Amino acid sequence: VTSDCEPFTSSCTRVFTVTEPEPLSITCPEAYRTDACLTQADVDAAFATWLATASSGGGCGGELTNNNQGAPNYCGGSTEETFTYTSTCFPFITTCSSTFYVTYPEPLSITCPEPYTANACETQTDIDAAFATWLTTASASGGCNGDLSYGEPSAPSYCGGSTTVTFTYTSTCFPYETTCSSTFT
């Protein structure tokens, strides 16, 4: 301030401060592994929940995004996501990455019944019962949503003969099918 009278000038100083924002921070979800053979809808839901666990802070006007590539297939696989936090103040960007895994199912495995030979001259009822029991000794595992089938074979005649049965195990994940055959005589 200046004046024509004494004191001719007077002054003061003050500081106007804009505080600096908190440093940028980003926290990626922990790598996540889920079991194979869920439905794709279940994998998609778990993936969406996993994506939502990322967090960020600091900077000014921050925005958290990711390069969502979609969940992996329910039959197995992985998706690596990059999370980016953008600020309107320096530093402008920080990133992190994490991976969502779906475990691959066990390989398909099928075990046919051992070839079986019944004694001659048993009754047809006994042969039918032995054949029905023999069919149940087949086993299979692996894949997803597996189904072991063998059609509707008939037991051979009690007077002699044989029936060869092809057992098929199907899965909703690749490889989709495996087979084996065995004979009841």
Side-chain angles (χ1 to χ4, degrees), residues 135 148-154 165-168:
L135 289 173
L148 178 62
S149 62
Y150 46 82
E152 297 180 18
S154 299
V165 178
T166 299
F167 296 84
T168 303

PDB file of all heavy atoms in Angstrom, residues 135 148-154 165-168:
ATOM      1  N   LEU A 135     -20.934-105.646 -16.491  1.00  0.00           N
ATOM      2  CA  LEU A 135     -21.040-104.302 -17.063  1.00  0.00           C
ATOM      3  C   LEU A 135     -20.694-103.220 -16.036  1.00  0.00           C
ATOM      4  O   LEU A 135     -20.077-102.210 -16.379  1.00  0.00           O
ATOM      5  CB  LEU A 135     -22.456-104.056 -17.608  1.00  0.00           C
ATOM      6  CG  LEU A 135     -22.849-104.800 -18.870  1.00  0.00           C
ATOM      7  CD1 LEU A 135     -24.337-104.586 -19.171  1.00  0.00           C
ATOM      8  CD2 LEU A 135     -22.002-104.377 -20.068  1.00  0.00           C
ATOM      9  N   LEU A 148     -20.327 -92.223 -18.470  1.00  0.00           N
ATOM     10  CA  LEU A 148     -19.906 -93.540 -18.955  1.00  0.00           C
ATOM     11  C   LEU A 148     -21.135 -94.274 -19.486  1.00  0.00           C
ATOM     12  O   LEU A 148     -22.129 -94.423 -18.773  1.00  0.00           O
ATOM     13  CB  LEU A 148     -19.254 -94.340 -17.830  1.00  0.00           C
ATOM     14  CG  LEU A 148     -18.803 -95.754 -18.159  1.00  0.00           C
ATOM     15  CD1 LEU A 148     -17.731 -95.746 -19.247  1.00  0.00           C
ATOM     16  CD2 LEU A 148     -18.268 -96.441 -16.901  1.00  0.00           C
ATOM     17  N   SER A 149     -21.067 -94.728 -20.731  1.00  0.00           N
ATOM     18  CA  SER A 149     -22.205 -95.432 -21.319  1.00  0.00           C
ATOM     19  C   SER A 149     -21.706 -96.632 -22.113  1.00  0.00           C
ATOM     20  O   SER A 149     -20.527 -96.718 -22.455  1.00  0.00           O
ATOM     21  CB  SER A 149     -23.005 -94.492 -22.215  1.00  0.00           C
ATOM     22  OG  SER A 149     -22.201 -94.041 -23.280  1.00  0.00           O
ATOM     23  N   TYR A 150     -22.632 -97.545 -22.399  1.00  0.00           N
ATOM     24  CA  TYR A 150     -22.286 -98.730 -23.180  1.00  0.00           C
ATOM     25  C   TYR A 150     -23.471 -99.215 -24.001  1.00  0.00           C
ATOM     26  O   TYR A 150     -23.492-100.358 -24.469  1.00  0.00           O
ATOM     27  CB  TYR A 150     -21.753 -99.857 -22.284  1.00  0.00           C
ATOM     28  CG  TYR A 150     -22.561-100.108 -21.037  1.00  0.00           C
ATOM     29  CD1 TYR A 150     -23.712-100.877 -21.056  1.00  0.00           C
ATOM     30  CD2 TYR A 150     -22.161 -99.548 -19.836  1.00  0.00           C
ATOM     31  CE1 TYR A 150     -24.457-101.094 -19.916  1.00  0.00           C
ATOM     32  CE2 TYR A 150     -22.888 -99.764 -18.676  1.00  0.00           C
ATOM     33  CZ  TYR A 150     -24.038-100.532 -18.725  1.00  0.00           C
ATOM     34  OH  TYR A 150     -24.762-100.732 -17.579  1.00  0.00           O
ATOM     35  N   GLY A 151     -24.441 -98.378 -24.204  1.00  0.00           N
ATOM     36  CA  GLY A 151     -25.605 -98.769 -24.995  1.00  0.00           C
ATOM     37  C   GLY A 151     -26.499 -99.719 -24.223  1.00  0.00           C
ATOM     38  O   GLY A 151     -26.574 -99.667 -22.998  1.00  0.00           O
ATOM     39  N   GLU A 152     -27.150-100.622 -24.948  1.00  0.00           N
ATOM     40  CA  GLU A 152     -28.054-101.594 -24.339  1.00  0.00           C
ATOM     41  C   GLU A 152     -27.713-103.002 -24.829  1.00  0.00           C
ATOM     42  O   GLU A 152     -28.515-103.671 -25.485  1.00  0.00           O
ATOM     43  CB  GLU A 152     -29.503-101.237 -24.671  1.00  0.00           C
ATOM     44  CG  GLU A 152     -29.922 -99.896 -24.094  1.00  0.00           C
ATOM     45  CD  GLU A 152     -31.364 -99.537 -24.425  1.00  0.00           C
ATOM     46  OE1 GLU A 152     -32.147-100.446 -24.797  1.00  0.00           O
ATOM     47  OE2 GLU A 152     -31.699 -98.356 -24.315  1.00  0.00           O
ATOM     48  N   PRO A 153     -26.514-103.476 -24.491  1.00  0.00           N
ATOM     49  CA  PRO A 153     -26.123-104.802 -24.979  1.00  0.00           C
ATOM     50  C   PRO A 153     -26.895-105.912 -24.251  1.00  0.00           C
ATOM     51  O   PRO A 153     -27.391-105.720 -23.137  1.00  0.00           O
ATOM     52  CB  PRO A 153     -24.633-104.868 -24.643  1.00  0.00           C
ATOM     53  CG  PRO A 153     -24.493-104.002 -23.427  1.00  0.00           C
ATOM     54  CD  PRO A 153     -25.483-102.883 -23.626  1.00  0.00           C
ATOM     55  N   SER A 154     -26.968-107.041 -24.890  1.00  0.00           N
ATOM     56  CA  SER A 154     -27.628-108.218 -24.304  1.00  0.00           C
ATOM     57  C   SER A 154     -26.578-109.271 -23.992  1.00  0.00           C
ATOM     58  O   SER A 154     -25.581-109.410 -24.710  1.00  0.00           O
ATOM     59  CB  SER A 154     -28.636-108.816 -25.284  1.00  0.00           C
ATOM     60  OG  SER A 154     -29.630-107.871 -25.578  1.00  0.00           O
ATOM     61  N   VAL A 165     -18.682-105.525 -25.919  1.00  0.00           N
ATOM     62  CA  VAL A 165     -19.299-104.250 -25.548  1.00  0.00           C
ATOM     63  C   VAL A 165     -18.262-103.149 -25.672  1.00  0.00           C
ATOM     64  O   VAL A 165     -17.128-103.292 -25.204  1.00  0.00           O
ATOM     65  CB  VAL A 165     -19.845-104.295 -24.098  1.00  0.00           C
ATOM     66  CG1 VAL A 165     -20.449-102.959 -23.706  1.00  0.00           C
ATOM     67  CG2 VAL A 165     -20.862-105.421 -23.943  1.00  0.00           C
ATOM     68  N   THR A 166     -18.655-102.060 -26.315  1.00  0.00           N
ATOM     69  CA  THR A 166     -17.804-100.869 -26.378  1.00  0.00           C
ATOM     70  C   THR A 166     -18.301 -99.881 -25.336  1.00  0.00           C
ATOM     71  O   THR A 166     -19.476 -99.488 -25.343  1.00  0.00           O
ATOM     72  CB  THR A 166     -17.841-100.234 -27.785  1.00  0.00           C
ATOM     73  OG1 THR A 166     -17.336-101.194 -28.715  1.00  0.00           O
ATOM     74  CG2 THR A 166     -16.992 -98.971 -27.834  1.00  0.00           C
ATOM     75  N   PHE A 167     -17.414 -99.524 -24.437  1.00  0.00           N
ATOM     76  CA  PHE A 167     -17.713 -98.565 -23.381  1.00  0.00           C
ATOM     77  C   PHE A 167     -17.204 -97.199 -23.835  1.00  0.00           C
ATOM     78  O   PHE A 167     -16.077 -97.074 -24.330  1.00  0.00           O
ATOM     79  CB  PHE A 167     -17.030 -98.981 -22.079  1.00  0.00           C
ATOM     80  CG  PHE A 167     -17.532-100.293 -21.543  1.00  0.00           C
ATOM     81  CD1 PHE A 167     -17.010-101.500 -22.012  1.00  0.00           C
ATOM     82  CD2 PHE A 167     -18.533-100.335 -20.593  1.00  0.00           C
ATOM     83  CE1 PHE A 167     -17.473-102.710 -21.531  1.00  0.00           C
ATOM     84  CE2 PHE A 167     -19.009-101.542 -20.101  1.00  0.00           C
ATOM     85  CZ  PHE A 167     -18.480-102.737 -20.578  1.00  0.00           C
ATOM     86  N   THR A 168     -18.031 -96.174 -23.658  1.00  0.00           N
ATOM     87  CA  THR A 168     -17.681 -94.821 -24.093  1.00  0.00           C
ATOM     88  C   THR A 168     -17.803 -93.865 -22.916  1.00  0.00           C
ATOM     89  O   THR A 168     -18.825 -93.858 -22.225  1.00  0.00           O
ATOM     90  CB  THR A 168     -18.614 -94.352 -25.233  1.00  0.00           C
ATOM     91  OG1 THR A 168     -18.537 -95.285 -26.304  1.00  0.00           O
ATOM     92  CG2 THR A 168     -18.227 -92.965 -25.720  1.00  0.00           C
TER      93      THR A 168
END
